[in-house]
Amino acid sequence: MKEANNFRKLLLAILLLNINMMIAQDKNTGSTHLNAHQQSMASICALSAVGNIQKLKTELNTGLDSGLSVNEIKEALVQLYAYCGFPRSLNAINAFMEVLENRKADGITDLQGKEASPINATNDKYSVGKETLQKLTGKEEKGPKTGANAFAPAIDVFLKEHLFADIFSRDVLNYRQREFVTISILSAMSRVEPQLQAHISMGLNTGITEGQIMELSAIIEKQIGKEQAEIVKNALEKVIQINKKIN
């Protein structure tokens, strides 16, 4: 009897240890696997990026059914325009409006979610955007501008003040979620490998895992195609190799 009690105590201790490890892991990365919310968000962003409205409507319903809030999806669809333009963003938003109207007509009440908090407009937006970008890349930006930012300085200003200040400062989605949205968008688009690679690197810095990117590639294969999925895998491998050299 005593041995049986000791065995049960040991099993309980192991169970509690595993639970605590899972909780700690979830706090740091949101799990090493994509949950239902993340899977739906990936599909929504990818299909919006390529303009497949019919499949998008299906995934919007799936996302809402899985518990994504209306405002979370709105934020992702607004952010979409910074990477693939107003037409794709507006078409996706209009599709979302139609889905919500149909669900309301069917008696479905969807979770609205929290509204974005007011942004402190007194701060210099360029500095805010620069600081945000440095957090995402894990690198301090110093020295003269290079590349496209030096050739066309206006793009540097727009990226800092609008994308990384105006959009990334909105708190409905955190940095990790916004990077996941961005990676999902770029993963669906052709001929944007440099940007995809850069954002995969930023995503890993915010807590997205290599395993989650691999799972995303499977979603891209299903929703977009095998060729795009291979591009995602190759981009991830390049980032891993670069990080190994740095470390």
Side-chain angles (χ1 to χ4, degrees):
M1 180 65 72
K2 185 177 179 180
E3 290 181 356
N5 286 336
N6 289 337
F7 182 70
R8 281 196 291 268
K9 288 179 181 179
L10 178 61
L11 285 178
L12 180 59
I14 294 172
L15 177 61
L16 289 173
L17 177 61
N18 287 335
I19 291 173
N20 287 332
M21 289 176 65
M22 290 171 64
I23 291 172
Q25 181 184 66
D26 191 62
K27 285 180 179 178
N28 292 328
T29 66
S31 166
T32 57
H33 298 285
L34 297 179
N35 59 34
H37 288 190
Q38 293 164 326
Q39 291 173 30
S40 289
M41 187 64 87
S43 293
I44 288 168
C45 293
L47 293 168
S48 296
V50 298
N52 191 331
I53 299 301
Q54 287 309 117
K55 287 183 73 174
L56 172 61
K57 290 178 181 178
T58 299
E59 290 304 323
L60 286 166
N61 276 292
T62 300
L64 290 167
D65 290 339
S66 75
L68 277 174
S69 75
V70 172
N71 285 335
E72 286 173 326
I73 296 175
K74 277 186 188 178
E75 284 292 320
L77 299 184
V78 169
Q79 184 176 323
L80 185 80
Y81 97 84
Y83 296 96
C84 55
F86 277 112
R88 291 282 195 244
S89 176
L90 289 170
N91 288 345
I93 290 171
N94 285 328
F96 190 32
M97 290 169 60
E98 183 180 335
V99 166
L100 290 173
E101 288 170 3
N102 290 337
R103 289 170 69 88
K104 184 177 180 181
D106 290 338
I108 300 173
T109 301
D110 289 304
L111 175 67
Q112 288 298 308
K114 74 172 186 176
E115 300 282 347
S117 303
I119 296 174
N120 186 352
T122 61
N123 294 333
D124 174 61
K125 288 204 295 184
Y126 186 88
S127 297
V128 171
K130 181 178 178 180
E131 183 180 348
T132 298
L133 184 56
Q134 289 178 153
K135 289 177 181 177
L136 294 172
T137 61
K139 300 174 183 177
E140 183 182 359
E141 184 181 314
K142 52 187 177 181
K145 304 297 178 189
T146 60
N149 289 348
F151 180 72
I155 199 68
D156 176 62
V157 174
F158 294 157
L159 283 168
K160 299 282 198 325
E161 293 189 354
H162 185 47
L163 176 57
F164 292 111
D166 288 340
I167 296 178
F168 268 68
S169 293
R170 292 171 62 83
D171 60 1
V172 174
L173 301 177
N174 59 34
Y175 288 170
R176 178 168 56 82
Q177 291 169 317
R178 288 196 181 278
E179 276 306 319
F180 185 72
V181 165
T182 301
I183 294 167
S184 299
I185 293 167
L186 295 174
S187 293
M189 298 169 64
S190 59
R191 296 182 290 278
V192 292
E193 286 89 338
Q195 290 78 20
L196 174 60
Q197 186 175 320
H199 280 281
I200 287 176
S201 180
M202 288 185 240
L204 295 178
N205 286 338
T206 65
I208 298 171
T209 68
E210 295 172 11
Q212 288 173 328
I213 300 296
M214 288 301 295
E215 288 185 31
L216 171 62
S217 72
I219 294 173
I220 294 300
E221 181 171 352
K222 175 184 176 182
Q223 301 291 4
I224 308 300
K226 187 172 183 178
E227 183 178 349
Q228 281 301 124
E230 288 301 315
I231 289 172
V232 178
K233 294 176 187 176
N234 290 337
L236 173 61
E237 183 58 33
K238 287 179 181 178
V239 171
I240 292 172
Q241 293 304 318
I242 290 171
N243 288 342
K244 283 181 179 178
K245 290 180 180 178
I246 294 174
N247 299 326

